[in-house]
Amino acid sequence: MNEMLFISMLSGAILSGTPLLYATLSELIGERAGIINLGLEGVMLIGAVVGFVTTVQFGNPVPGLIAAALAGALFNMIFAFIVISRRANQLASGLALMFCGVGLSALIGAPFIGRRIEGLSQVRIPLASDLPFWGRAFFQYDILVLLAIPTAVAVWWLLFKTRWGLSVRAVGENPTAAYAAGRNPHLVQYQALLISGFLGGVAGAHLSLALAHTWAEWMTAGRGFFSVALVIFAKWHPLRAIAGALLFGGAISLQLQMQARGVPVSSFLLDMLPYGLSLAVLILWSRARRSAVPGSLGRVFQGTE
Amino acid sequence: MDNVTRATGTVRSRRAAAVIRFGGLIGLALAVFALVLLAFGQNPLRAYADIFRATLGSPYGFSEVLVKMIPLVLTALAVAIPAKIWLINVGGEGQLFIGALFATWGALHFGSLPAWLLLPLVSLLGFLGGGLWALLSGILRAKGWASETISTLLMNYVAILLVSFFVFGPWKDPESANYPQSAPFPDAAVLPSLFESRVHLGALFAIVGLLLFYVVMSRTRWGLEMRALGINQEAARRNGISADRYILLLMFIGGGMAGLAGMGEVSAIHGQLRPSLSPGLGYTGFLISWITMGSPSGIVAAAFLISLITAGGDILQMTHRIPAAAIHILMALVLFVVLARRSGTGGKK
């Protein structure tokens, strides 16, 4: 019995944590380049709806997934243009992007409300998936779950082991110095936001294709904002984001478990768990945070003229 | 004398140029949204005609736009007031909900009081609810524990869940079978409406709030101190101005404004507490405050424009059968073009 509980808790944490991890990585890359994007919620919604609609049209989730990633990237370019080329305030532009995503996804998805799809199927790994205990906990997931941690590692490698990643971090820390060192801050920020949009679209697609198998207006329910907090939790590090996403996925899963078991606590109070946890973590981290935050986060690089 | 006339003349022509530019930006947003409608098989000209007829085209429609303006002006003030010392309050939405929660508690608990006593009490509770909710973030910020941007953002969700908890649980109206809502407000707790329309006395909160904001900022010592803090915190501190005190105070007052917006909505518009109280009014207020850089007249103009657009959304849903949320696209487009405009007319930053 306890074993069963452990397995369902763990697999629940992994499932709920997956879109959070993609979204957190998305936000993290942008913030490393000095750009905070509150519009991630909108990017995820666009990914969710485009992925869903394309899957319905093709009867296959693979084109849906690809379309979701591309749509997220394209959609994020609106934000990129406004905050990078037009130097607008990032917080306000992000919220405007969120509203745009809410509206556009509602319009695209309206004819598809109530439809159910097969969605992403579980990948069976020979032998491993048939293991009695660990097989169920670790090896019966869709492809996006299996790719989540490798993606985090890839983002870490990209940011910390490549020349491009160095440029991103340099621009996020001090764009003027990066410019003086021969980097093109605006180009680097565009590239970062392109990848960020790509991951944001995937995060949304996981919600509609793998978790819900349906489309509903505003189905992200704040996960985009949540990821902004998770980036801080991870101290802007992709590998720590894995732990953060698991922990928060665990909070969501715990809440579902308690509800399923009829623990007499209102589900609304349980829903507050992850938000309360975020705040608590923020406060606990407050000392260490200062050194981790990218130096120019949220500021506008005015160029050099 | 001649110089004075010339000076006012240039001011006037500069203002006219700004209005024309602004009109052009709105026109651009309207054109792009028309393309979106066209792409989804709608007739944009008919849609705009319907929106116009249902809003500016009749006294009733116009009054409905004013109704929508009331909470937006208040939530914009909730952002603009703390923004004077560069505090970023993204929590208007949550503060609005907690304001409504406190107001509902007052209305249902002291329902037997006469209106002249109950209304001020309920309004005060609304202000207090929003204010205290924002004050929590203010404390976190003043102590250096968490940035107010993130904490207000996260607390929005907690606030909405808290309201859901009460209306699904202890405050659920037994009369309303399956709908999660509180018992209806007693008549004495409903803000009276004005001019035989749905425009309610909450408009007074918005107008007084705007005037006080303007007068305090431009005419008083406090305004001067806040501007000093906004420009250079260190210099202000050396001159004996306490930043912490202003952080707490301005977060409290700002949150209180959003709380009043929540009180107005629950009392005059919904008549009972529901989780669907606000379609993102707090976030919209944030955007209004930012695109106008907190100027009182700008807030009024932008709130009017946004109200016009959202009122149009209801019309599109009814007459063109597209989701009401779709109007968010037009709102976002307007914000995009305003945010992305070449700086020079609206100052820098």
Side-chain angles (χ1 to χ4, degrees):
Chain A
M1 186 62 208
N2 273 335
E3 224 167 65
M4 283 293 292
L5 177 66
F6 179 73
I7 291 177
S8 52
M9 275 290 298
L10 191 63
S11 65
I14 292 172
L15 271 178
S16 318
T18 297
L20 286 180
L21 181 55
Y22 283 109
T24 306
L25 292 171
S26 159
E27 182 71 30
L28 192 146
I29 294 181
E31 291 198 15
R32 275 288 182 174
I35 293 175
I36 180 164
N37 184 0
L38 293 187
L40 181 58
E41 186 88 6
V43 177
M44 288 174 73
L45 281 168
I46 292 292
V49 75
V50 169
F52 187 80
V53 170
T54 316
T55 303
V56 170
Q57 305 292 358
F58 281 83
N60 183 340
V62 175
L65 189 56
I66 296 169
L70 293 178
L74 193 69
F75 190 65
N76 215 25
M77 284 300 98
I78 303 174
F79 175 71
F81 174 73
I82 292 170
V83 298
I84 301 172
S85 296
R86 309 302 317 174
R87 296 166 195 169
N89 175 274
Q90 292 174 7
L91 295 174
S93 307
L95 282 179
L97 189 80
M98 175 200 82
F99 276 115
C100 192
V102 169
L104 199 56
S105 61
L107 196 55
I108 297 174
F112 297 89
I113 287 180
R115 290 278 286 270
R116 265 194 85 79
I117 50 165
E118 197 60 34
L120 285 174
S121 50
Q122 291 179 351
V123 179
R124 287 199 66 81
I125 304 166
L127 295 177
S129 303
D130 300 324
L131 287 175
F133 180 85
W134 296 105
R136 274 202 56 202
F138 282 116
F139 298 110
Q140 290 187 0
Y141 295 110
D142 58 85
I143 184 77
L144 284 178
V145 174
L146 297 178
L147 284 180
I149 290 178
T151 306
V153 175
V155 169
W156 167 79
W157 179 79
L158 204 59
L159 281 174
F160 291 93
K161 298 289 160 189
T162 67
R163 219 182 126 68
W164 181 77
L166 184 63
S167 301
V168 170
R169 288 181 293 132
V171 167
E173 215 48 63
N174 186 338
T176 316
Y179 180 82
R183 260 82 174 194
N184 178 346
H186 284 175
L187 181 67
V188 169
Q189 289 181 327
Y190 265 109
Q191 291 164 337
L193 285 185
L194 191 71
I195 299 178
S196 161
F198 194 82
L199 290 171
V202 171
H206 190 252
L207 285 176
S208 66
L209 297 185
L211 291 185
H213 300 271
T214 55
W215 159 255
E217 268 186 37
W218 213 325
M219 68 185 298
T220 49
R223 283 184 179 80
F225 289 132
F226 215 52
S227 305
V228 178
L230 261 176
V231 171
I232 301 169
F233 177 88
K235 294 191 205 163
W236 290 268
H237 197 290
L239 299 181
R240 272 194 290 260
I242 301 173
L246 263 182
L247 187 61
F248 285 77
I252 296 176
S253 149
L254 174 71
Q255 166 226 321
L256 293 175
Q257 285 295 325
M258 285 171 79
Q259 250 168 286
R261 268 146 215 281
V263 177
V265 180
S266 162
S267 67
F268 301 106
L269 297 182
L270 288 174
D271 279 335
M272 292 175 195
L273 257 177
Y275 302 102
L277 192 61
S278 297
L279 270 174
V281 160
L282 273 181
I283 295 165
L284 287 176
W285 258 212
S286 62
R287 284 245 170 72
R289 201 172 67 240
R290 245 161 241 135
S291 52
V293 52
S296 76
L297 187 64
R299 298 207 191 107
V300 175
F301 177 51
Q302 291 291 351
T304 45
E305 69 265 30
Chain B
M1 191 68 188
D2 205 45
N3 270 341
V4 172
T5 356
R6 202 176 311 143
T8 50
T10 45
V11 165
R12 204 168 290 156
S13 70
R14 208 181 300 149
R15 210 167 264 175
V19 168
I20 291 169
R21 275 172 56 90
F22 192 70
L25 291 173
I26 304 300
L28 181 63
L30 287 173
V32 176
F33 187 61
L35 290 179
V36 173
L37 287 177
L38 212 53
F40 284 89
Q42 300 287 336
N43 178 346
L45 290 179
R46 264 239 305 282
Y48 284 144
D50 284 342
I51 293 180
F52 181 82
R53 209 171 314 126
T55 52
L56 300 182
S58 72
Y60 173 77
F62 186 73
S63 75
E64 281 300 287
V65 176
L66 295 183
V67 171
K68 288 193 184 326
M69 270 181 77
I70 296 169
L72 288 181
V73 167
L74 287 166
T75 51
L77 281 173
V79 181
I81 292 170
K84 282 293 162 196
I85 58 169
W86 297 112
L87 292 172
I88 300 171
N89 176 16
V90 204
E93 189 78 2
Q95 292 143 21
L96 182 148
F97 269 91
I98 298 296
L101 188 75
F102 272 48
T104 306
W105 178 77
L108 300 183
H109 249 77
F110 306 103
S112 49
L113 292 177
W116 63 268
L117 204 61
L118 188 56
L119 271 180
L121 178 74
V122 169
S123 308
L124 195 71
L125 279 168
F127 185 91
L128 204 64
L132 290 176
W133 198 246
L135 186 65
L136 290 177
S137 296
I139 293 171
L140 293 181
R141 163 63 196 256
K143 293 262 183 201
W145 286 346
S147 106
E148 76 288 357
T149 315
I150 300 293
S151 70
T152 51
L153 191 61
L154 288 175
M155 282 169 64
N156 285 338
Y157 289 92
V158 180
I160 296 170
L161 288 168
L162 210 55
V163 167
S164 295
F165 166 72
F166 278 102
V167 297
F168 276 93
W171 290 2
K172 188 170 183 298
D173 180 16
E175 308 271 302
S176 60
N178 281 319
Y179 291 105
Q181 50 193 16
S182 73
F185 272 41
D187 287 341
V190 174
L191 284 169
S193 58
L194 312 169
F195 322 118
E196 295 174 2
S197 70
R198 292 210 306 158
V199 180
H200 54 85
L201 204 60
L204 199 66
F205 299 147
I207 294 167
V208 172
L210 275 169
L211 285 176
L212 275 179
F213 176 55
Y214 173 75
V215 171
V216 169
M217 283 316 296
S218 60
R219 298 286 143 88
T220 67
R221 210 190 95 191
W222 302 313
L224 185 70
E225 291 192 350
M226 280 183 256
R227 275 179 287 155
L229 274 170
I231 293 164
N232 186 337
Q233 233 175 72
E234 192 48 43
R237 205 189 317 268
R238 303 231 167 140
N239 278 298
I241 303 171
S242 156
D244 285 358
R245 215 180 54 208
Y246 272 110
I247 290 175
L248 299 181
L249 187 68
L250 294 190
M251 285 302 284
F252 178 72
I253 295 175
M257 287 293 157
L260 278 179
M263 182 270 168
E265 290 300 287
V266 71
S267 153
I269 305 295
H270 293 264
Q272 50 203 153
L273 189 63
R274 299 181 177 132
S276 58
L277 184 66
S278 154
L281 293 169
Y283 298 111
T284 316
F286 181 89
L287 284 161
I288 289 173
S289 169
W290 271 95
I291 60 173
T292 58
M293 299 311 292
S295 119
S297 56
I299 287 177
V300 173
F304 180 74
L305 183 67
I306 299 287
S307 304
L308 197 62
I309 292 174
T310 42
D314 303 342
I315 301 305
L316 287 187
Q317 185 174 31
M318 281 187 279
T319 59
H320 292 250
R321 268 181 278 149
I322 58 179
I327 203 69
H328 286 324
I329 304 171
L330 178 57
M331 190 174 93
L333 286 169
V334 168
L335 296 163
F336 282 154
V337 293
V338 174
L339 285 164
R341 75 192 185 284
R342 273 176 209 289
S343 41
T345 47
K348 281 184 185 156
K349 288 264 156 56

